[in-house]
Structures are given as structure tokens and as C-alpha cells.
Amino acid sequence: MSAAVPAGDGLFEHAACGLLLARTDGVIVRVNATLCTWLGESAEAMLAGRKLQDLFTIGGRVFHHTHCLPMLQVQASVAEVQVDLLHRDRSRVPTLMNIARRVEGDGVYDHVAFFITVERRSYERELMLARRDAEGALEARRGAEAQLQALNEQLSRDDRRKDEFLATLAHELRNPLAPVRNAIELLKMKAGPAGPSRPLQVLERQVGHLAHLVDDLMEISRITRGQVALRRQPIDLADAIRAAADDAMPIVSAARHRLDLSLPSVPLCVDADATRLMQVVLNLLTNAAKYTPPGGQIWLSAGREGDEAVITVRDTGIGIPAQSLGSIFEMFSQLTPALDRAQGGLGIGLALVRGLVELHGGSIRADSEGEGNGSVFTVRLPALPLAETGPVAAQAGPLAAAPGQLRILVVDDSPDATETMCAMLELHGHRTRSAHDGAGAQQAAATFKPAVILLDIGLPDMNGYEVARRLRAAPGGEALFMVAATGWGQQDDRQRALAAGFDHHLTKPIDFARLQLLLAEAQAR
Ligand code: ADP
């Protein structure tokens, strides 16, 4: 039959697929060399009455009978059927088979093409292996993720437990502190005019320090547990900053630092909790004072930059190493140079500051040129638009008028009280002098010639009413602006004060904002 193959039909003979032509009953009438080679057969053997289905395995024969023949009858074609052919040595040759049934001349023939699928199979096997590997990797990753999540949960459980522990600790420490403080107050009262003994002073200072630490601890655990609610309202940032500077004065002057305050001349309004902002600035100032060797310089300034209010606290202190700038706001972070200074503290002040600033929608950063070169802390807060500052500006009016220079004599038997009050007044541009008893007050009034006298009533040698009467009676006394500071503030205290020649009466501890209003009045005289 190979003689029937037209000479030179190389394309048919040596095609890259096995080809054969069969009658509809399967008898092979033509076969190409490629297929003969794949099956290890000669063309003669293939054309000696063998049928297409004889080339298949038993399973292939059944499939051919049940599927291929009906499909050929219905649609005259079969595409990509997987069949194993039998090699002469009985080994299997996996192929894909296509059949097209065609009318040729007066007969009907099946055109059959085979493609070897060995490579495809191995490719599929590789694909399967790769898939298994990928699935394995995915499984391992899922396992690792689950482990990570479990670790994360464990960590946040530990973190929560730590926060709860801190909160409980702070709370429990606070309880015994209150009676201890009261007992100290009692001992101080018993000490009489001689004042508290040295050990009592130490006790008071240290308990104050302890209370401060416990407060910080309490605060930070409240912040981390989202329990701090801000009481926000439009405020002039300058007021909060001045108040913080006042509060920081004792520690600043104890270390003989100079504090330079620079505030904007127009109100700088923010929607904020004044007490919390004051706490922020006070913490930064306290740190500046703590971490600056005695006799240093601290600059506190505020201003508007676009729609932000910017507060900066700069010092000439020990500075912060570059690698620690990012971590100092974390809880319990304390740097070695600072620890060496044995300043106490738990390393939570800055975490507290950052928490409060962020609660206000602001940010904080630290900068330093490195150790020994001072530090700068910059707080940025969203400022209220200038248009919204009207009511606050009006409210701040009398205060804004206050800072002109006045000569003020501060009289109190406690040097601590006069020192801090003088420092606060000087911070606001006034000149001050202090005295600690009635005689000293009269003497200072004669030499210093104050415009304003802030006079405590409980003085060691004579009471404040008597001093006031004498000062009024002295030459130039009628022009004096005198403010009484008493501990009780009862109605008859006020009347007694006015009767003794005082212009005003304030209750201790003195509310500095109210005093400023009175000073503005004194100035307007
Ligand atoms: P504490 O002062 O209680 O240690 P803080 O959270 O207030 O805690 O400060 C964390 C650390 O940051 C301090 O221990 C100190 O090392 C460093 N630090 C803070 N402020 C300054 C500053 N102005 N100059 C130098 N270092 C500072």
C-alpha cells in the first residue's frame, strides 16, 4: 500500500505527528512513517488488514467504541482524545488523537492524527509538583501567620495586663499618699512660727516628688487605655504657656537657669483643653530645666505657622544623641547621660506629653545637635482660623493690656512663696522686691517705692491689716495699689481688708489670672 503513497510526499510521511487513513470500519488504508516509527512497526504490517482500534490498549478500544464512533457518526469529528497506543514491544505510547470523517471520491474515510503526549505529561507532572510545592509553601505561610497572630495576641494581652497593673499600682500608691501628705501638713501647722524642721521639709519635698510620679503613672495608663477625655474649648495658647512657665519657675530658678519667653502679640487660638496643654508645656520645661546644667538658658516660644500653632522649648542642656531622638517619646525610655544625672523620674513624662498632644490632633518632635549641644522640642497643634478668635481675643483683652512694667512688692512670711511669686511677676515684665514681715514691708516700700503691694495677712511681727494701715498713712501711701492675700476669703475678711485700706482682696493660693486682671487695673490708674 506504501506504493500508493505519492512519491515525494515527504510532508505526509515525516510530519511531526502520526497520520493514518482508515475506512469507517477501522481498516487502515494509509499510514505515515512517523507513526510506524513510534509503534516500531513497518508500513506493510500496518496495512495488512489492521484496524485503527487494534492499535489501542483494551481500555482505548472500549473508549473508541463507546465514545469515538458515536461522535464520528453524529458530528464527523473527534478532537483531542487521550489514548494509549500499543508499541510492538507491548509498551504504551501515550497520544492525543484527532479524527475527521471525510468523503473521498466514492468512499468515506477517517483521517486520524496522533500527537505524542509524553512531554506534555511530564510537563503536567512538573506542574503538579510545582503546585504541590506552592501549596506546601502556602500552608507553611498560613501556619507562620497563625503563629504570628497568636504571638501578637499574647503580646497585646501582656501589654494590656501591664497597663492594668500600672493603673492599679498608681491607684494603690495614691491611697497611702493622701494621708501621708495630710500628716505632713499637720506637722507643719504644729511647727509654729519657727517653720517646719529640716527633716520635715525633706519629707514634704520627697512626698511631693512621689505624688508627682504617681500622678504621671496614673495619667499615662489612662491615656494608653483611652480614658482621657479632653475638655476642649477655644483658648489663647499664650495663656496656657504663661501659666506653665509660672508653674515651672521654682525648678527653673532653683537651677539658676534663665527662662526666655516669647509669645505672639495677637491671640493664638486653639481648640484645646487648657489644663492638659499647660501640663504638656510644664513637662517640657521641667525636662529642659532638669537636663540642663545649672546656670543654663531655656527659650519658650509660641507662634502661628500657617494653620498650625507651634510651641518650642529649647535648652542649652546635655542634648540627645541622634539615635535616641526617635525613641525618647516611648514609655519608660531614659537615656544614659540623663540617668547619670540622677534626676529621678520614670521615663514617662514625654510619653505623656506625646499622648496629650496627639489627643489634640497635634504632633511633637525632638531635635538636638547631639550630646552637650542642647535640645529643642517642637509641638504642633491645629490652630483655629484667625476669624474664630474674636471672643477669645476679647476675653484676653485686659490680660493683654497687663504686661506693662509695674514695681511690685510681694510680702509673705514664706520665702518660697515670695520667690515664686516674684519670679512669675518678673516673667510678665514687672520689677519686684520681697519682704517677709511687717517691718521689712515698710522698709521696702520706702526704698523700692512700689506701685503695687501684694500683702499676706498672716505675718510674724504684725498682721497685714496693720501693715496696710501704716503704709497708707506713710508719705505717698494714698497712691499705692494694695492687694490682700488671705487664706480664707470669708466675707468679713474681705470687708476687713477694704476697711484697712486695701484696694482688693485675693484668696490664697492666688489665682494668677485674677491677679493679672488687678494689675491691669492698677496700671490703668
Ligand atoms: P524622665 O525625665 O522621667 O526620665 P521623660 O519621658 O520626661 O522621662 O524623658 C525621657 C528621657 O528623655 C529622659 O530620661 C532624658 O534622657 C531624655 N530627655 C527628655 N528631655 C530632655 C532634654 N530637654 N534634654 C536632654 N534629654 C532629655
Side-chain angles (χ1 to χ4, degrees), residues 287 290-291 315 319-320 333-335 338 345-350 375 377:
N287 275 353
K290 271 191 338 189
Y291 300 116
D315 61 53
I320 301 164
S333 78
Q334 288 183 305
L335 314 180
L346 293 173
I348 51 182
L350 287 180
S375 315
F377 286 81

Side-chain angles (χ1 to χ4, degrees), residues 213 216 283-292 313-315 317-321 327-339 343-353 368 374-377:
L213 292 180
D216 273 4
N283 255 307
L284 294 177
L285 279 178
T286 310
N287 275 353
K290 271 191 338 189
Y291 300 116
T292 298
V313 179
R314 177 189 295 272
D315 61 53
I318 59 172
I320 301 164
S327 63
I328 50 168
F329 294 101
E330 268 149 40
M331 226 194 325
F332 308 126
S333 78
Q334 288 183 305
L335 314 180
T336 334
L339 277 180
Q343 290 283 2
L346 293 173
I348 51 182
L350 287 180
L352 192 65
V353 164
S368 173
S375 315
V376 191
F377 286 81

Side-chain angles (χ1 to χ4, degrees), residues 124-416:
E124 276 172 1
R125 240 191 332 268
E126 263 172 44
L127 265 185
M128 258 168 58
L129 283 177
R131 188 175 153 178
R132 218 170 39 219
D133 286 353
E135 279 172 356
L138 197 69
E139 200 57 33
R141 193 176 134 177
R142 280 203 194 114
E145 275 173 3
Q147 226 174 340
L148 202 66
Q149 195 177 348
L151 274 174
N152 251 336
E153 277 163 13
Q154 176 68 34
L155 263 180
S156 46
R157 255 198 314 274
D158 289 352
D159 202 41
R160 234 185 352 261
R161 235 177 270 145
K162 179 206 72 196
D163 286 346
E164 277 159 15
F165 169 71
L166 286 181
T168 318
L169 181 70
H171 194 258
E172 291 303 310
L173 286 175
R174 231 182 201 193
N175 285 342
L177 266 180
V180 170
R181 286 187 116 174
N182 289 344
I184 291 175
E185 283 307 314
L186 275 174
L187 287 173
K188 271 172 64 189
M189 278 162 70
K190 279 193 187 157
S197 65
R198 183 94 185 95
L200 191 54
Q201 287 172 18
V202 171
L203 199 59
E204 184 180 25
R205 228 184 359 261
Q206 294 305 323
V207 167
H209 189 46
L210 195 58
H212 189 77
L213 292 180
V214 170
D215 282 350
D216 273 4
L217 205 55
M218 192 99 168
E219 282 284 286
I220 193 73
S221 60
R222 278 214 199 104
I223 286 189
T224 47
R225 281 144 37 111
Q227 289 177 345
V228 170
L230 296 180
R231 287 190 204 151
R232 294 174 89 145
Q233 58 176 20
I235 58 159
D236 184 358
L237 195 55
D239 291 339
I241 290 180
R242 269 194 218 103
D246 292 342
D247 279 11
M249 255 354 261
I251 169 165
V252 170
S253 35
R256 290 180 284 107
H257 298 315
R258 271 175 47 99
L259 173 61
D260 199 286
L261 187 65
S262 156
L263 295 173
S265 49
V266 290
L268 177 52
C269 292
V270 287
D271 184 31
D273 184 324
T275 313
R276 299 307 196 171
L277 275 196
M278 202 187 119
Q279 201 178 351
V280 163
V281 180
L282 180 58
N283 255 307
L284 294 177
L285 279 178
T286 310
N287 275 353
K290 271 191 338 189
Y291 300 116
T292 298
Q297 170 81 48
I298 301 168
W299 295 269
L300 168 60
S301 66
R304 177 186 277 271
E305 280 180 24
D307 51 7
E308 282 183 328
V310 183
I311 309 169
T312 53
V313 179
R314 177 189 295 272
D315 61 53
T316 52
I318 59 172
I320 301 164
Q323 71 274 14
S324 306
L325 284 172
S327 63
I328 50 168
F329 294 101
E330 268 149 40
M331 226 194 325
F332 308 126
S333 78
Q334 288 183 305
L335 314 180
T336 334
L339 277 180
D340 291 347
R341 304 186 63 77
Q343 290 283 2
L346 293 173
I348 51 182
L350 287 180
L352 192 65
V353 164
R354 182 173 66 176
L356 289 174
V357 168
E358 287 177 353
L359 272 179
H360 280 89
S363 64
I364 181 164
R365 59 172 289 160
D367 292 281
S368 173
E369 297 287 309
E371 281 177 50
N373 291 321
S375 315
V376 191
F377 286 81
T378 311
V379 175
R380 292 179 174 274
L381 297 167
L384 288 175
L386 286 167
E388 283 180 35
T389 62
V392 183
Q395 196 186 322
L399 293 186
Q405 260 215 352
L406 283 170
R407 297 169 77 82
I408 306 173
L409 173 63
V410 181
V411 188
D412 196 303
D413 58 339
S414 153
D416 276 356

